[in-house]
Each structure stands twice: as structure tokens, then as C-alpha cells.
Amino acid sequence: MTPQTTNLQAQDIWEMRYENFQFFVEDKNQPVSKFMLANIPAQPGTCFEIGCFPGRYMALLGQAGWELNGIDLTPNLPLLQKWLEENGWKTGAFTIAGIEDYKDSRQYDLVYSSGFIEHFTNFRDIIAMHTPFVKKGGKLIITVPNFTGVQGMLHRFFDINNYRLHYIKSMNTKPWRKVLEAKGFRIDAEGPLGSFDFWVDANQTHGPFKSRLQHQFMRRLHYLKRLVRFKSTWTSPYLGIAATKM
């Protein structure tokens, strides 16, 4: 029986964000990109992204020669596949579906999700649902934004609408590790990703006073980034885990 899922971010919110979306390839030096590229198998094979739209990390794997496959609930998914194919990257199957209802038995060399599990209160179940799609010896990578510690304070103040759409208790890799180890995975890498940085959702709006504060803070962000150059669950903008199915 599929566990009851509570998704804090309704699909219509995503659709508003995806309207007139311009596809792009994520920067290789962005923290999530660096973590993924450092932990994927050396030999390109088949990959499967859960919650794959808008595909900015998928495009990096396309550049590296991977066959791209994915699921997402957005009806705009065919537009992503078309864009990937127009760039000459190998594509496989793209299915409009949620992970709770997706029953395909195919397994992949690499399975990943980025910015996905943190929208579910039953995130442990969602992580477990990733695991059947990984081949024996294959890799699983999960990353999320970090809204805890100093990052959480900043998001609560400057980014509250976006903050409320995330399940903050999911932003801790310790329970992820327990789920994966129970499913027969070896943990290869785990922890905070990147030194201090900060971003605000593009749809967040403020009154004049807070808007001025945010503007002044963002103007000075580069000074803070120079000062805080270490990785920490308090200050890093993302968290991630990479594991191998034994």
C-alpha cells in the first residue's frame, strides 16, 4: 500500500513558475552541479531524474553523454524533452507521473532528484521510493536546499512564502542515510554543499521597508561570501547525499 503523501507545494504553484520558462544548463561550478558531477559513475550510462522539470542538471548529464529519462507531473514535460533533443543529447522515456504512482520496473545506472523530497512531509517514504529504480552497483544522488541554521533565519525573514512550501525537518541527511542503508546502499558522500551563499525565490514580494533591507543585504552578500568560505549545515545553501546500491 502506498503511504499517504503530503506535498506542501501544489502543482498549480509549479505551473505558474514554469509559465514561459526559458530552459538553461546549470553552471558546472554551482554547488549541486559540483556534487553531482563528482559522484556520478565515470562511464556514462542511463540516468533517471525524479521531478525532472525544468532539467537544468539533466542538461549537464546530457552534455556528459548520459541517456536522459525522467518523470514529472507538469504537462510541460514534452517541452523539456524537445529542448534536450534539439541540443543533441540522448533521451529515453519522459513520463508525466508522480513518484507515488509510477510503476515502471526499469532500472538505471544513476537515479537522482534535486529540490524534490523537501516538499513532502513523508520524505522518508519518498526517499525509499527512489531506490527500486537503481541498478545493483548504480548510484543514487539526492540534494535539497538548506533552510536550517543561518540559512533558515534568512529565508524566514526574506523568503517566507517559499520557506513555508518546504518541509524543514526533511533538511537533514541523517534520516536519509538511515533509509538508504536499510535499503542496502553504501553512503559515498554526505553533507552540506558549497560555502555560504543566499538566494530568494523570484516570486517573493515584500513591502517597501523589507524590500530595502533585502536590497542592502544582497548588495553586501559578496563580502559575507568572502568571509564564510567553509561548508556547514548552518551556512551552506544546499545539502546532499550520494550512495551506491550494493
Side-chain angles (χ1 to χ4, degrees):
M1 180 177 179
T2 300
Q4 181 64 40
T5 294
T6 301
N7 188 339
L8 299 181
Q9 189 140 319
Q11 189 61 28
D12 59 348
I13 297 175
W14 288 113
E15 299 313 326
M16 286 188 291
R17 295 182 179 193
Y18 293 157
E19 190 174 2
N20 301 316
F21 185 86
Q22 298 296 311
F23 296 110
F24 68 97
V25 184
E26 186 57 81
D27 184 349
K28 290 182 179 180
N29 293 313
Q30 191 259 13
V32 172
S33 301
K34 290 177 72 172
F35 183 73
M36 285 187 61
L37 294 174
N39 286 285
I40 60 176
Q43 182 64 37
T46 58
C47 72
F48 179 63
E49 181 173 359
I50 297 167
C52 62
F53 200 93
R56 60 187 186 272
Y57 300 111
M58 181 174 275
L60 284 176
L61 296 173
Q63 289 180 334
W66 287 79
E67 180 198 283
L68 310 174
N69 303 266
I71 58 170
D72 200 289
L73 282 171
T74 177
N76 293 314
L77 191 57
L79 297 178
L80 171 60
Q81 184 173 5
K82 181 174 181 287
W83 176 71
L84 295 168
E85 291 171 349
E86 287 174 346
N87 279 277
W89 302 321
K90 291 185 289 187
T91 61
F94 285 77
T95 305
I96 298 174
I99 188 172
E100 306 97 321
D101 305 313
Y102 188 67
K103 304 303 181 185
D104 197 293
S105 60
R106 184 178 179 189
Q107 293 185 316
Y108 301 85
D109 301 298
L110 170 65
V111 174
Y112 68 99
S113 68
S114 181
F116 183 76
I117 69 164
E118 76 278 8
H119 296 295
F120 298 87
T121 57
N122 65 330
F123 67 94
R124 293 176 181 83
D125 297 324
I126 298 298
I127 291 171
M129 291 177 198
H130 287 51
T131 62
F133 302 112
V134 186
K135 288 181 179 178
K136 186 174 182 180
K139 284 272 194 171
L140 174 61
I141 296 175
I142 296 172
T143 66
V144 300
N146 180 22
F147 288 2
T148 67
V150 173
Q151 289 285 339
M153 297 174 195
L154 290 170
H155 280 283
R156 282 197 302 271
F157 189 75
F158 289 122
D159 195 30
I160 187 61
N161 292 340
N162 188 39
Y163 179 89
R164 288 171 175 160
L165 296 173
H166 294 75
Y167 189 57
I168 308 306
K169 290 182 180 179
S170 72
M171 297 174 179
N172 178 349
T173 62
K174 291 180 181 178
W176 308 2
R177 183 199 320 140
K178 290 181 179 179
V179 172
L180 295 179
E181 288 178 338
K183 293 291 185 179
F185 282 74
R186 180 193 71 216
I187 307 304
D188 300 320
E190 172 190 3
L193 309 181
S195 55
F196 179 73
D197 202 350
F198 181 68
W199 51 271
V200 175
D201 185 81
N203 296 290
Q204 179 69 62
T205 57
H206 302 299
F209 175 70
K210 189 173 282 190
S211 293
R212 286 195 296 271
L213 280 180
Q214 180 178 315
H215 177 70
Q216 292 301 319
F217 178 80
M218 299 306 285
R219 282 186 60 191
R220 291 164 174 77
L221 183 60
H222 65 284
Y223 295 114
L224 290 170
K225 290 167 69 173
R226 288 180 187 175
L227 287 171
V228 187
R229 301 182 66 88
F230 53 86
K231 296 179 182 179
S232 162
T233 54
W234 273 76
T235 57
S236 295
Y238 302 96
L239 304 170
I241 198 166
T244 300
K245 190 171 193 177
M246 305 305 291

